[in-house]
Amino acid sequence: MEKLKMHTPDLAEENYKKLKELFPNAVTETKDELGNVIRAIDKDVLMQEINATVVDDHQERYQFTWPDKKKSVVLANQPIAKTLRLDREKSVSRDGTPGGDIDSENIYIEGDNLDALKLLQETYLGKVKMIYIDPPYNTGNDFIYEDDFSQSAADYADNSGQTDEDGNRMVQNSESNGRFHTDWLNMIYPRLKLAKDLLSDEGVIFISIDDNEQANLSKICDEIFGADNRIGPIIQNKQNAKNDTINIQKNHEFLLVYRKKTLINGSKIRTTLSRKVITYRNVIEDDGKFYYLNDPITTRGEGGTLAARPNLGYTVYYNPSTGDFFGKCDYDTKLVKSTNEENEIYKTDKELVQNGYITIRPPRVRGKLGCWTWALDKFNKEKDSIVITGKPSAYTVRKRTFVNAKDVQKKDGKLVYAATVEANSRSILDFSTNEGTNELNDIIKGNVFSNPKNLKMIKYLLSLVQDPNAYILDFFSGSATTAHATMQLNAEDGGHRKFIMVQLLEQTPEKSDAYKMGYKNICDIGEERIRRAGKKIKEETGADIDYGFRCFKIDSSNMKDVYYRPAKVNQQSLDLFTDNIKEDRTPEDLLIQVMLDLGVLLSAKIEETEIAGKKVYSVQDGYLIACFDNEVTENVVTAIAKMHPIYAVFRDSSMANDSVAANFEQIFATYSPQTVRKVL
C-alpha cells in the first residue's frame, strides 16, 4: 500500500518535473555552498533548446520587481503540512438548517487565505470559473497579511494584536513604513499566483482596488495572468458625494479583470464575459399572427454600394392598393461600374407601373447607388418575412420576425415581445457603496462591517460568467457579499453555482458595534450573513437552491512530525510514536485531510456506515472508502474491496494481525484490483 503524503503540493518540485520532462538533457547536478550535491538546470542547454536568450541577474531587462519578490515566489511554491477541520456546529445544511446535515456544496474556510489556496490546490485545480476578491487597498490604514520569510510560525511575534489562531500576523501597513508598497506586493503576489491555478481554462478573476495600488496590481496581474489575458479595467462609479480628497474627488474604484487563458473558436477569440439583456420589441398583429420589425434590408458603408455588390441592385415593385410586391432584375449589371446615374442603369417596367405598381430601389450610400442585403431569389422565396413600411416616395423594405402569441405581452398599453440577447459588459458600472452598507444592514442590523461591497454589483459580475453551475471563489470574503450574491442569483435564474469563501479570523475591536453584538471576528459576521441571507431568500422566493455551507477551519496537520520525518526519530523515541496521528484528532478529521490529499471535492457526499463493528466512510457514492479504526479484520477488508472503490484508505498498522496484513493485497487483487490502496 502507498503512503499518503498528507501535505500540499510542492509546486516548485512539480515545475522542475515539467521542465525535466520537456528538456531532460538540461537536467544536471552541481554543489551548493556547503558542498552538497544538488540537482540543477543547465542554462546553456536550455538556451539551445528554446532558441532564446536567457537573461542573467545583472543584465538590463523590462521587469516589475521589488524587495523580496523572489522570496514571495518561493513562498507560493512551498508545501505546507496543514489541514482543514470540519466545524459541524457552524455549518448549515442545504435547506438552511443551522447545524443540520452536512449536505451543502458551499464552502466557508476560516484561516489564512495563503494556506487555504494551497490546501485547495489538489481538490479544486482548474475547477473554479470565477474569482472575485476585494483585498486591502493599502490606503495607509489597512491591516494586511504579513508573511514572514525568515521566521518559522512558532517564532511569529504578535506585533499588532491582530494575530490569527495559527500565528499568522496581520499588521497595520502605514505610509510611514519604509516598505509600504513592498509589504503589500509581497502579500498579494503569492496569493494571486496560487489563485490562477485554481481557475478553469475559461475562468476569470475580478479584483476590486483603488488607485493606491491599482498601477502595481495591474503589473502583477500582467505578469501572472499575461497581458494578453487582460480583459480590461472596469470602473465602478461609487456614486458618493463625499468630498474626502484634495483637488479631485474620488468617486470611483477599479475592477481589474483577467481571464486564465485566451481561447480560440475558429479564427476568433472566444468570449469570456457576456451579459444577458432583455429588450422589448413592439409587436404588430396581422391576421392573427404577431411579428416585430427588424432593420431595413439595405446596407451602409463603402461595402454597401451597388458598384461593390452589383448582383444586389434589383427593384422591388410594390402595389400599395393590393399590397402585392416582388423583386425584379431590371438593371444593367455591367454599367454599375461605370456610372452612378440611376436612370442610366435601371429600366423601369412601364407595364407594371401602369397596373399600379411603384418602384422601390436601394437608398443611396454616401451619394452612391446602394444595394440590398438579400439576393433576388431569397427575396422572392421568403416574401412572407418581408414587410413594406412608410409613405409614398419614402417606402422602406424591412424584415419581420414572427413570434408565438404566448410570448406576446402588454406593456404600457402596447403589445411587446421580450427578447433576451447577449451583450458585452459596460466598462463603467454605477453601483453605490452606500447601497452595499444598506444591504448588509437589511440582513444584520447595526454597523458591523465597514464598506461592504454592493450586492447588486457582485450579482452583476456573476451574471457575466455564463455558467449556472460554476464554482465561485472569494478568498478575501469579508462580510460574505459574494456568497449572498451567489445564492440570490441562483434563486433568480435557477442556477447551481457553488461558493467557496475564505476569511482570516480577524478580531473585531472590543469597542466596535460588531463586538458588542457578539461578533468577535470577521468570520462570525460573514457566516451569520450567509445564514440570514439564505433564510430571507428562501422566505421571499421559495427557490429550491442550496442555502447552506460547510464550515472548515485551517489547522495543523493531523499527523505527528514522525510521519513526515521518520528518519529523524531515534530508537529511544520510537515508543513515543507508536501512533503517528495526533491524539486530539477524530476519524472525520483524518477523512477531510485524505480528501484534500486525493483531490476529492470538499463538497462531496459523505456517508458513514459500520462493517463488522468498524466505522467506515463512503465518499461520493463509493469513490473513496476509508476506515481509520484499529483491529481491522479480513471481513472488513473484503467488504470494502467488494464495494470496488477508486481509493481505499486505512491507518498504517491497523490490521488486526499479521495474517490480515499478509492477505490484504490478495483480497483486493481478487475483488477489486483497480482500487488504489493508501495508508496513513
Side-chain angles (χ1 to χ4, degrees):
M1 291 185 285
E2 296 179 8
K3 191 176 180 181
L4 287 161
K5 63 181 187 296
M6 302 297 272
H7 60 70
T8 62
D10 185 336
L11 299 182
E13 176 69 20
E14 292 185 5
N15 289 334
Y16 169 78
K17 289 178 179 178
K18 292 175 184 176
L19 193 61
K20 181 180 179 181
E21 184 177 352
L22 287 171
F23 309 110
N25 55 333
V27 176
T28 184
E29 293 179 349
T30 187
K31 289 185 178 181
D32 64 13
E33 297 170 350
L34 300 176
N36 299 314
V37 177
I38 58 172
R39 71 189 185 193
I41 297 295
D42 191 317
K43 177 182 67 175
D44 295 329
V45 173
L46 189 62
M47 288 172 63
Q48 295 169 6
E49 290 287 354
I50 62 178
N51 192 26
T53 300
V54 176
V55 181
D56 288 325
D57 286 344
H58 302 295
Q59 286 182 264
E60 292 184 353
R61 87 291 303 265
Y62 176 79
Q63 64 176 334
F64 177 54
T65 190
W66 60 90
D68 288 335
K69 180 182 180 181
K70 290 181 180 179
K71 292 181 180 180
S72 71
V73 175
V74 172
L75 181 66
N77 291 334
Q78 283 178 339
I80 57 170
K82 293 191 177 185
T83 188
L84 297 175
R85 301 180 72 183
L86 179 65
D87 189 328
R88 286 180 170 268
E89 185 177 339
K90 287 187 174 183
S91 298
V92 177
S93 64
R94 185 183 186 279
D95 65 3
T97 302
D101 295 334
I102 306 299
D103 57 357
S104 174
E105 294 184 82
N106 298 317
I107 305 297
Y108 192 101
I109 298 174
E110 298 180 354
D112 189 329
N113 53 18
L114 184 64
D115 291 340
L117 290 167
K118 292 185 177 186
L119 288 167
L120 296 174
Q121 285 295 309
E122 294 277 15
T123 308
Y124 290 92
L125 183 72
K127 290 185 173 68
V128 175
K129 197 64 173 286
M130 171 182 157
I131 297 174
Y132 171 79
I133 57 171
D134 179 27
Y137 283 4
N138 215 21
T139 61
N141 299 308
D142 294 319
F143 284 91
I144 66 169
Y145 297 70
E146 183 177 58
D147 305 307
D148 197 296
F149 297 116
S150 58
Q151 294 176 299
S152 66
D155 298 328
Y156 274 12
D158 182 3
N159 57 352
S160 70
Q162 295 292 323
T163 308
D164 71 15
E165 292 180 347
D166 295 323
N168 298 313
R169 291 183 292 175
M170 289 194 71
V171 298
Q172 188 166 9
N173 197 31
S174 64
E175 290 182 274
S176 61
N177 176 16
R179 294 167 52 95
F180 180 63
H181 292 290
T182 292
D183 286 348
W184 190 88
L185 293 168
N186 282 326
M187 180 273 294
I188 200 69
Y189 187 89
R191 288 164 172 84
L192 290 179
K193 197 169 186 296
L194 290 165
K196 179 191 175 184
D197 292 336
L198 298 179
L199 283 174
S200 67
D201 286 351
E202 303 84 10
V204 63
I205 183 170
F206 297 89
I207 309 173
S208 284
I209 198 71
D210 70 359
D211 54 4
N212 285 287
E213 295 291 353
Q214 181 268 333
N216 288 334
L217 183 59
S218 294
K219 293 174 185 175
I220 283 181
C221 289
D222 281 353
E223 179 176 322
I224 292 175
F225 297 97
D228 290 344
N229 291 318
R230 185 197 311 128
I231 296 177
I234 294 176
I235 307 301
Q236 179 197 353
N237 175 15
K238 299 190 296 181
Q239 300 180 323
N240 60 327
K242 184 179 178 181
N243 190 17
D244 54 359
T245 57
I246 300 173
N247 298 322
I248 298 176
Q249 183 175 319
K250 296 181 180 180
N251 297 111
H252 72 281
E253 289 180 357
F254 299 91
L255 272 165
L256 302 188
V257 190
Y258 285 78
R259 60 186 165 222
K260 170 76 171 288
K261 285 186 177 181
T262 300
L263 301 177
I264 306 296
N265 274 345
S267 60
K268 296 182 178 180
I269 295 176
R270 187 189 303 178
T271 300
T272 303
L273 304 175
S274 64
R275 61 190 176 104
K276 291 184 177 179
V277 179
I278 298 177
T279 60
Y280 292 96
R281 310 292 295 264
N282 289 329
V283 171
I284 299 170
E285 183 178 5
D286 181 15
D287 195 22
K289 295 181 180 180
F290 298 89
Y291 66 87
Y292 62 83
L293 294 174
N294 295 287
D295 291 336
I297 61 166
T298 52
T299 59
R300 302 183 182 93
E302 290 297 330
T305 64
L306 186 57
R309 309 177 75 179
N311 62 321
L312 297 177
Y314 55 88
T315 299
V316 174
Y317 285 87
Y318 171 56
N319 191 321
S321 300
T322 64
D324 182 48
F325 63 88
F326 56 89
K328 183 178 180 180
C329 183
D330 60 357
Y331 68 104
D332 190 331
T333 57
K334 296 179 181 180
L335 288 177
V336 299
K337 297 286 187 179
S338 59
T339 180
N340 193 42
E341 297 299 325
E342 182 177 318
N343 59 359
E344 294 181 13
I345 294 175
Y346 286 92
K347 303 298 181 183
T348 302
D349 190 322
K350 296 180 180 179
E351 184 178 347
L352 288 173
V353 172
Q354 290 174 356
N355 290 327
Y357 286 85
I358 63 170
T359 59
I360 305 175
R361 292 180 177 129
R364 286 182 175 268
V365 176
R366 299 177 184 177
K368 299 179 181 179
L369 293 176
C371 65
W372 306 108
T373 56
W374 286 26
L376 179 59
D377 287 346
K378 175 181 174 68
F379 182 89
N380 285 329
K381 287 179 181 178
E382 300 180 24
K383 287 201 305 179
D384 285 347
S385 297
I386 294 294
V387 63
I388 296 176
T389 62
K391 300 177 180 179
S393 75
Y395 285 115
T396 302
V397 181
R398 304 177 70 173
K399 181 183 181 297
R400 60 180 174 177
T401 299
F402 290 94
V403 296
N404 291 326
K406 64 179 181 180
D407 295 329
V408 176
Q409 54 185 283
K410 271 197 172 184
K411 184 179 177 64
D412 298 329
K414 297 179 180 179
L415 292 176
V416 296
Y417 168 73
T420 302
V421 297
E422 290 192 0
N424 293 333
S425 173
R426 293 167 290 154
S427 62
I428 300 177
L429 305 178
D430 297 326
F431 289 110
S432 166
T433 51
N434 292 334
E435 190 173 354
T437 301
N438 294 336
E439 289 161 346
L440 178 57
N441 287 340
D442 188 42
I443 300 294
I444 302 177
K445 304 298 182 185
N447 184 25
V448 298
F449 191 86
S450 300
N451 303 316
K453 283 302 168 188
N454 187 298
L455 177 68
K456 293 184 179 65
M457 183 183 79
I458 305 301
K459 188 157 67 79
Y460 172 80
L461 299 180
L462 288 168
S463 70
L464 295 177
V465 178
Q466 297 295 310
D467 183 354
N469 300 304
Y471 283 100
I472 311 298
L473 171 64
D474 183 345
F475 53 90
F476 287 95
S477 174
S479 67
T481 305
T482 303
H484 187 170
T486 301
M487 291 189 296
Q488 187 71 55
L489 186 58
N490 281 343
E492 292 176 8
D493 68 4
H496 187 60
R497 301 168 187 85
K498 284 80 64 177
F499 64 73
I500 304 171
M501 301 291 107
V502 184
Q503 175 58 43
L504 188 73
L505 279 164
E506 180 184 347
Q507 304 301 306
T508 54
E510 291 188 10
K511 295 182 179 180
S512 67
D513 290 348
Y515 190 91
K516 294 174 183 177
M517 293 171 64
Y519 303 114
K520 306 305 181 187
N521 55 65
I522 301 301
C523 293
D524 288 346
I525 298 171
E527 290 160 3
E528 184 62 18
R529 178 179 189 170
I530 299 172
R531 295 186 193 99
R532 295 192 184 192
K535 181 180 179 182
K536 184 173 186 288
I537 294 169
K538 188 174 184 179
E539 289 174 349
E540 292 176 350
T541 68
D544 181 19
I545 65 167
D546 191 342
Y547 295 101
F549 61 92
R550 303 187 196 194
C551 183
F552 294 91
K553 294 182 178 180
I554 297 175
D555 205 337
S556 60
S557 172
N558 296 310
M559 315 308 291
K560 295 177 181 177
D561 286 345
V562 65
Y563 187 87
Y564 303 103
R565 291 178 288 274
K568 293 188 177 181
V569 180
N570 58 43
Q571 190 65 35
Q572 294 178 341
S573 302
L574 283 177
D575 292 340
L576 300 175
F577 299 107
T578 54
D579 193 344
N580 56 18
I581 298 169
K582 294 176 180 176
E583 287 74 12
D584 65 336
R585 302 306 166 93
T586 67
E588 187 172 70
D589 292 333
L590 298 177
L591 179 67
I592 299 303
Q593 190 165 3
V594 167
M595 290 169 63
L596 289 170
D597 202 278
L598 296 177
V600 180
L601 294 177
L602 292 171
S603 57
K605 182 172 68 173
I606 300 174
E607 297 173 294
E608 184 181 320
T609 186
E610 192 173 287
I611 299 175
K614 303 300 179 184
K615 182 184 294 185
V616 175
Y617 291 100
S618 173
V619 181
Q620 205 59 31
D621 299 320
Y623 178 84
L624 162 66
I625 303 292
C627 178
F628 304 115
D629 286 358
N630 290 314
E631 301 298 320
V632 174
T633 65
E634 278 195 21
N635 289 338
V636 176
V637 176
T638 302
I640 290 175
K642 287 182 176 180
M643 294 178 184
H644 307 293
I646 302 299
Y647 289 101
V649 180
F650 301 85
R651 292 176 73 153
D652 195 13
S653 303
S654 65
M655 300 299 116
N657 51 56
D658 292 342
S659 175
V660 179
N663 293 331
F664 180 89
E665 292 295 343
Q666 185 58 46
I667 292 171
F668 271 95
T670 301
Y671 295 105
S672 188
Q674 78 282 358
T675 297
V676 178
R677 284 86 78 184
K678 299 275 190 178
V679 294
L680 52 84

